């Protein structure tokens, strides 16, 4: 079953103290292009999220946005080292007294001294880290469900377009019956007008016409094109189906269609070939969005 590279998923998890929300958005890309937007407090989890993303998301231009909400706002409040603040304040008072300074804002100065105020957002514990990763996995699950649903739509469209190519191929087989007799008749008529019927060596003519008609034979191209189309459908429904493999098959289909058009030497068949090419181009465009 194929999956689309376009996807969206959002997941949330909380533990009574903190709530993490992870949002995933993706567009098509040949490789995994990951863009992370994380709160400073969980920046140390970036490697884990990148590692899991490479395994669970595989390919695509993906944006991962993490937001955090604290149920208890005091949980993220900064901590003040009271003992250190007191020590700094007393030292500043002593210095101010010694130099005769009476208007100095000693308390504010002490409050801004190193390690007096520490932010609780700088580090998260293991419990909070687990809440984040659970939210991430929840978002990935919804994200992949979205991709699978989009993949079903792509699959139906691709099957319909391959079916159209096969229909056009059947039309080619239906109209090509008169192609060779018309070519033979056209060449024979041309020789009669240019060199005269009495001057044509019919044995040599038959040898040359057989050689020429053999070069115009499209039987192999028809067989190979039908085989490639059937293989495409088979690969499309396989459990390990992927856009790269389907892309390679579509290239082979294109080669046969091009050869069919160049060897046809028939205006009607070439018109049908143009319609085949139109469907194949639409298939290739859709495959750009298949994972």
């Amino acid at each position: 079953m194929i999956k689309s590279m376009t996807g969206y998923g959002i997941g949330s998890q909380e533990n009574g103290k903190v709530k993490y929300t992870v949002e995933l958005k993706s567009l098509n890309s040949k490789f995994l292009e990951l863009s992370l937007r994380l709160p400073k407090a969980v920046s140390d989890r970036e490697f884990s999220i990148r590692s899991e993303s490479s395994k669970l998301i595989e390919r695509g231009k993906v944006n991962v946005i993490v937001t955090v909400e604290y149920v208890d706002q005091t949980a993220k409040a900064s901590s003040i080292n009271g003992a250190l603040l007191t020590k700094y304040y007393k030292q500043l008072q002593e210095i101010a007294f010694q130099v005769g300074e009476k208007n100095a804002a000693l308390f504010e100065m002490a409050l801004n001294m190193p390690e007096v105020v520490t932010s609780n957002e700088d580090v998260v514990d293991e419990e909070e880290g687990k809440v984040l990763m659970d939210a991430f996995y929840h978002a990935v699950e919804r994200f992949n469900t979205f991709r699978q649903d989009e993949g079903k739509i792509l699959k139906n469209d691709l099957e319909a377009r391959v079916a159209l190519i096969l229909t056009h191929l059947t039309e080619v087989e239906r109209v090509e019956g008169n192609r060779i007799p018309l070519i033979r008749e056209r060449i024979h008529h041309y020789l009669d007008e240019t060199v005269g019927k009495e001057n044509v060596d019919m044995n040599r003519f038959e040898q040359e016409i057989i050689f020429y008609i053999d070069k115009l034979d499209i039987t192999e191209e028809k067989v190979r094109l039908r085989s490639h189309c059937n293989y495409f459908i088979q690969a499309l429904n396989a459990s390990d189906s992927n856009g790269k493999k389907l892309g390679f098959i579509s290239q082979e289909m294109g080669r046969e269609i091009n050869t069919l058009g160049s060897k046809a030497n028939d205006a009607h068949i070439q018109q049908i070939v143009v319609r085949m090419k139109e469907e194949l181009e639409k298939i290739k465009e859709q495959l750009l969005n298949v994972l």
Side-chain angles (χ1 to χ4, degrees):
M1 176 64 70
I2 65 171
K3 292 194 292 186
S4 170
M5 269 192 282
T6 301
Y8 178 81
I10 186 168
S12 298
Q13 193 71 25
E14 59 181 293
N15 65 352
K17 297 179 182 178
V18 63
K19 177 182 178 181
Y20 279 98
T21 301
V22 178
E23 188 177 13
L24 302 176
K25 301 176 184 178
S26 75
L27 297 173
N28 61 310
S29 174
K30 289 184 178 180
F31 310 100
L32 177 62
E33 298 179 47
L34 203 60
S35 174
L36 299 181
R37 192 189 304 171
L38 306 175
K40 182 180 177 182
V42 294
S43 58
D44 62 323
R45 308 284 168 167
E46 180 176 345
F47 178 78
S48 297
I49 292 176
R50 286 188 178 276
S51 177
E52 291 299 297
S53 296
S54 65
K55 292 187 291 185
L56 301 174
I57 297 177
E58 298 179 50
R59 282 200 299 145
K61 187 175 183 180
V62 185
N63 289 321
V64 181
I65 303 170
V66 179
T67 56
V68 58
E69 299 175 49
Y70 286 90
V71 179
D72 179 6
Q73 291 298 317
T74 61
K76 64 174 182 177
S78 298
S79 299
I80 299 176
N81 189 329
L84 190 59
L85 174 62
T86 302
K87 184 175 180 180
Y88 280 135
Y89 185 69
K90 287 181 177 180
Q91 288 177 347
L92 289 170
Q93 279 184 320
E94 292 175 0
I95 295 171
F97 178 77
Q98 291 173 7
V99 300
E101 177 62 54
K102 296 181 180 180
N103 297 323
L106 301 181
F107 185 80
E108 184 178 350
M109 292 174 63
L111 198 60
N112 290 322
M113 296 298 280
E115 299 183 7
V116 172
V117 180
T118 57
S119 174
N120 290 336
E121 290 187 337
D122 291 341
V123 179
V124 298
D125 56 24
E126 287 300 319
E127 181 184 356
E128 192 171 328
K130 184 177 183 303
V131 174
L132 167 62
M133 294 309 295
D134 286 345
F136 171 76
Y137 290 131
H138 189 198
V140 169
E141 183 180 352
R142 292 188 171 184
F143 174 81
N144 283 328
T145 299
F146 187 101
R147 278 183 156 186
Q148 289 172 356
D149 293 340
E150 288 289 305
K152 291 176 183 176
I153 297 173
L154 286 173
K155 176 177 176 290
N156 292 336
D157 184 74
L158 291 169
E159 285 180 332
R161 298 196 183 283
V162 172
L164 278 173
I165 291 176
L166 288 172
T167 299
H168 293 324
L169 181 58
T170 302
E171 189 177 351
V172 168
E173 293 172 330
R174 188 171 61 250
V175 301
E176 72 160 333
N178 296 326
R179 183 172 65 102
I180 299 303
L182 287 174
I183 292 173
R184 177 190 290 270
E185 182 180 345
R186 187 166 65 244
I187 295 174
H188 201 286
H189 181 69
Y190 175 77
L191 289 175
D192 287 349
E193 288 186 342
T194 54
V195 301
K197 186 174 183 180
E198 65 282 358
N199 297 319
V200 176
D201 184 341
M202 293 307 297
N203 290 329
R204 180 64 184 274
F205 173 76
E206 289 299 329
Q207 291 175 1
E208 294 295 333
I209 201 71
I210 290 172
F211 176 74
Y212 180 67
I213 289 174
D214 184 63
K215 292 176 64 177
L216 298 179
D217 184 64
I218 58 174
T219 301
E220 290 185 10
E221 285 72 21
K222 292 186 299 179
V223 171
R224 285 197 293 264
L225 178 56
R226 178 170 278 106
S227 175
H228 292 327
C229 288
N230 292 333
Y231 184 41
F232 186 96
I233 296 298
Q234 180 184 341
L236 190 63
N237 289 281
S239 58
D240 62 343
S241 181
N242 62 78
K244 289 183 178 179
K245 181 177 181 179
L246 294 170
F248 295 146
I249 301 173
S250 69
Q251 290 177 10
E252 296 302 317
M253 292 165 60
R255 289 190 181 94
E256 301 306 329
I257 291 173
N258 288 332
T259 307
L260 195 66
S262 63
K263 292 176 68 174
N265 197 22
D266 182 270
H268 191 181
I269 291 178
Q270 287 171 337
Q271 290 173 3
I272 298 172
V273 166
V274 169
R275 295 201 291 271
M276 286 184 181
K277 289 181 177 181
E278 288 177 352
E279 295 304 325
L280 185 63
E281 283 303 308
K282 292 174 183 177
I283 287 172
K284 289 179 177 180
E285 288 176 7
Q286 293 286 41
L287 289 178
L288 292 175
N289 200 33
V290 174
L291 185 64

